Each structure stands twice: as structure tokens, then as C-alpha cells.
């Protein structure tokens, strides 16, 4: 099947990035969110990012204008149900994702492919609550979407080869690279990345190093472009904790136990950049470590 229209559920950091790259690749995009403010902010962010690409001569002004013209926003979930491909990019909570797919089901086209941008939740379990588990798979973009080249494609136990190949073609049309992952907790990238971040938080919790020394050690000693605590703030500490909980519960191994300090920061509402405080305080001109 040929995919021409894409519905994106959720206009947050991931959703607006997905809408951006899809529209730039020539797909007609319908972007949905329950918040009109979120939709307005998403269009502003997409416009800003496309303008940046024009200023760096990566795309032309005409290409930018054509991409923006392909994006329509809506507060009604059912208005995206008729697209060829739906990508759910809502918050990383399984109950919310089930509710979204449940709401979409009555209005879906017969051939519509359902996908989730989840970073850790079982694709098989999400698919089992729909009427088309064979046309359901994980479509996991990396953040920030316009910059990162990888997309994880995760098959549930019932995902058909036709569905996989249709999604693979979309990834190729975006100019990105697909990595096929099996449906195990956190898939590939986060199965490796999140325990490293969690261990960095334990290193801080146990007083082995402070925020600066831990991040500098990994940047200068392991050649990482961003320290693990800085990266955790960028991702969102609530997302990091949610993924660690999925790993801990799904694999039943104590090595995935979330660090109590990570839990404490989330309970305090210090979620990283999006709340202006996490392992760094972002309220001033330059980030300041909070420990």
C-alpha cells in the first residue's frame, strides 16, 4: 500500500517533530492534540525550525512554505482516523495510549495502519486492544526528530510483513535509517541508554561525583556529546523514570531498579528542561547544577 496521509496524535516535542519531517517529505499531515495552545505552539515551533533550515540553506523558502501548507491541525481525534498512517505520540502512559486507540477505532479506514511512538511500552499489548493487531507496530523516533537519523521499527507478535514494509518505506522517504527491534521492554536504544542514565543518577546519589564531574567525565572520558544527567534533563526525568519502571517490571531484574534520587526529582516536579529544573537549574542565563 502507498501511504500519502499521516495523522499525528500529540503536538508536544515529539509530535511536532514528527509532523515537521513528514510534511517536509511530502506527506499530508493532520496534527491532533486536546489542547489548542499545544497545537498553536507546535505550528510556531515547526515554522521556527523550518526557518532555521532555510537560513542554513538546507531547504529553500518554497520547500518550507509547501511543507507548512501540508500541515492541518485539529482538536478532534476522529478527524485523523481516515489517514493512511496514524502515529500516536502522546505522553508515555499506557492507559492514555489505550484510550486514544479506543477512541480512533470506530472511524478508522479499513486499511489504516496504527503505530505508536512509545519508547518502551509493549507493542503487542497495545495492538491487542485494537481491531487490527496485524496492522499495528512501533514507530519510535529519536529526539529531536528533525535532527536524529534513527527510527526504531518494532513489530508486535501479530504485525504483518506488509505493515512492516509500508512503515519501512516511510522511514526511507524521510531520509532516515530504520533499526528493526523485537518487542521487548524499551526495545534497543532505551534498553541500553536508560540504565546508563540511571547508573549516572546512582553515582550522584551515592556521592561518587557531583553533577558537573559526572557529566564532564562522560563527555571528555567517553567522548559523549552530552553528559548523562544533562541528557536526562533534555529527555525529561519523568520519561526516564517511566522507562526504567517498564524495564524493572517487564524484565524482573533488580539491575533495572530506578534510583531513588530519580524518583525524588520527579516527585518534586523537577523534570528537566521542560520545567526549568532537573539535575540543572535552567532559570538563569546558564544552567546551574542542583547538586
Amino acid at each position: 500500500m502507498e501511504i500519502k496521509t499521516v495523522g499525528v496524535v500529540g503536538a508536544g516535542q515529539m509530535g511536532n517533530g514528527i509532523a515537521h519531517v513528514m510534511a517536509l517529505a511530502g506527506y499530508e499531515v493532520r496534527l491532533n492534540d486536546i489542547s489548542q495552545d499545544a497545537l498553536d505552539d507546535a505550528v510556531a515551533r515547526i515554522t521556527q525550525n523550518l526557518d532555521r533550515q532555510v537560513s542554513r540553506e538546507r531547504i529553500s523558502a518554497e520547500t518550507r512554505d509547501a511543507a507548512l501548507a501540508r500541515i492541518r491541525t485539529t482538536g478532534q481525534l476522529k478527524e485523523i482516523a481516515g489517514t493512511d498512517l496514524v502515529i500516536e505520540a502522546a505522553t508515555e502512559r499506557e492507559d492514555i495510549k489505550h484510550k486514544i486507540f479506543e477512541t480512533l477505532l470506530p472511524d478508522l479506514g479499513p486499511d489504516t495502519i496504527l503505530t505508536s511512538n512509545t519508547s518502551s511500552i509493549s507493542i503487542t499489548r497495545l495492538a491487542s486492544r485494537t481491531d487490527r493487531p496485524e496492522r499495528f507496530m512501533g514507530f519510535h523516533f529519536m529526539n529531536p526528530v528533525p535532527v536524529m537519523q534513527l527510527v526504531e521499527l518494532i513489530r508486535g507478535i501479530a504485525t504483518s510483513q506488509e505493515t512492516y514494509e509500508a512503515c519501512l518505506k516511510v522511514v526511507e522517504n524521510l531520509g532516515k535509517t530504520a533499526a528493526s527491534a523485537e518487542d521487548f521492554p524499551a526495545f534497543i536504544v532505551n534498553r541500553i541508554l536508560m540504565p546508563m542514565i540511571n547508573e549516572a543518577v546512582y553515582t550522584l546519589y551515592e556521592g561518587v561525583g557531583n553533577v558537573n564531574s559526572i557529566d564532564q567525565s562522560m563527555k571528555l572520558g567517553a567522548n559523549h556529546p552530552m553528559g548523562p544527567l544533562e541528557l536526562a534533563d533534555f529527555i525529561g526525568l519523568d520519561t526516564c523514570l517511566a522507562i526504567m519502571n517498564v524495564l524493572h517490571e517487564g524484565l524482573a531484574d533488580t539491575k533495572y531498579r530506578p534510583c531513588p534520587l530519580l524518583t525524588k526529582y520527579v516527585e518534586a516536579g523537577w523534570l528537566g528542561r521542560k520545567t526549568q529544573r532537573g539535575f540543572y537549574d535552567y532559570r538563569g542565563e546558564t544552567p546551574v547544577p542542583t547538586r
Side-chain angles (χ1 to χ4, degrees):
M1 69 170 293
E2 186 177 2
I3 292 171
K4 295 181 179 178
T5 58
V6 178
V8 181
V9 183
Q13 191 172 33
M14 296 303 294
N16 77 61
I18 294 167
H20 172 153
V21 298
M22 289 290 178
L24 202 54
Y27 296 100
E28 295 293 328
V29 178
R30 296 177 198 166
L31 179 60
N32 162 263
D33 200 282
I34 57 173
S35 164
Q36 185 59 47
D37 287 344
L39 289 171
D40 293 342
D41 288 346
V43 172
R45 178 63 60 86
I46 293 167
T47 303
Q48 181 183 47
N49 288 337
L50 286 169
D51 285 344
R52 186 180 295 115
Q53 289 178 292
V54 171
S55 68
R56 293 176 179 173
E57 299 184 347
R58 292 178 180 167
I59 62 173
S60 67
E62 292 76 16
T63 299
R64 171 200 61 201
D65 294 343
L68 285 171
R70 293 188 193 103
I71 300 173
R72 288 170 44 201
T73 62
T74 175
Q76 301 298 315
L77 195 55
K78 66 180 182 180
E79 289 186 14
I80 72 163
T83 56
D84 300 324
L85 170 68
V86 173
I87 303 174
E88 172 273 314
T91 189
E92 192 71 352
R93 278 181 49 190
E94 188 167 342
D95 59 331
I96 291 175
K97 295 180 188 298
H98 282 308
K99 182 65 176 176
I100 287 167
F101 292 123
E102 181 183 310
T103 304
L104 282 169
L105 285 181
D107 300 297
L108 289 176
D111 297 323
T112 298
I113 292 174
L114 294 177
T115 67
S116 176
N117 183 58
T118 178
S119 51
S120 61
I121 296 168
S122 167
I123 298 302
T124 298
R125 199 161 61 237
L126 290 174
S128 71
R129 301 272 291 271
T130 74
D131 65 349
R132 59 195 66 206
E134 73 287 348
R135 301 184 71 76
F136 192 113
M137 72 180 304
F139 208 132
H140 181 216
F141 288 85
M142 305 297 122
N143 185 31
V145 178
V147 175
M148 302 297 280
Q149 289 300 302
L150 185 75
V151 179
E152 284 182 317
L153 292 180
I154 306 102
R155 302 188 213 211
I157 196 169
T159 305
S160 71
Q161 183 65 19
E162 181 187 25
T163 298
Y164 172 79
E165 289 174 1
C167 291
L168 178 61
K169 186 176 180 181
V170 172
V171 175
E172 291 169 349
N173 288 343
L174 296 177
K176 296 186 183 292
T177 300
S180 296
E182 292 301 315
D183 186 22
F184 287 95
F187 319 130
I188 296 172
V189 172
N190 284 318
R191 171 77 177 262
I192 297 167
L193 176 64
M194 286 302 159
M196 184 198 76
I197 287 175
N198 194 52
E199 194 62 30
V201 182
Y202 266 115
T203 305
L204 178 65
Y205 177 61
E206 293 169 4
V208 180
N210 60 29
V211 169
N212 263 337
S213 63
I214 292 166
D215 277 353
Q216 283 186 349
S217 293
M218 294 308 292
K219 284 192 284 189
L220 302 180
N223 204 28
H224 289 192
M226 191 182 292
L229 301 175
E230 183 185 3
L231 179 57
D233 276 358
F234 180 75
I235 293 167
L237 303 192
D238 52 339
T239 300
C240 294
L241 180 59
I243 295 170
M244 286 309 302
N245 280 327
V246 167
L247 281 166
H248 191 220
E249 293 163 12
L251 298 171
D253 192 323
T254 55
K255 73 179 181 180
Y256 298 115
R257 182 172 69 97
C259 180
L261 184 61
L262 178 60
T263 302
K264 184 180 288 186
Y265 268 66
V266 173
E267 288 174 345
W270 292 18
L271 308 181
R273 285 183 177 271
K274 60 187 174 185
T275 60
Q276 296 294 295
R277 276 194 290 189
F279 292 113
Y280 293 85
D281 188 327
Y282 300 92
R283 293 174 296 176
E285 289 186 12
T286 56
V288 177
T290 54
R291 288 180 82 88

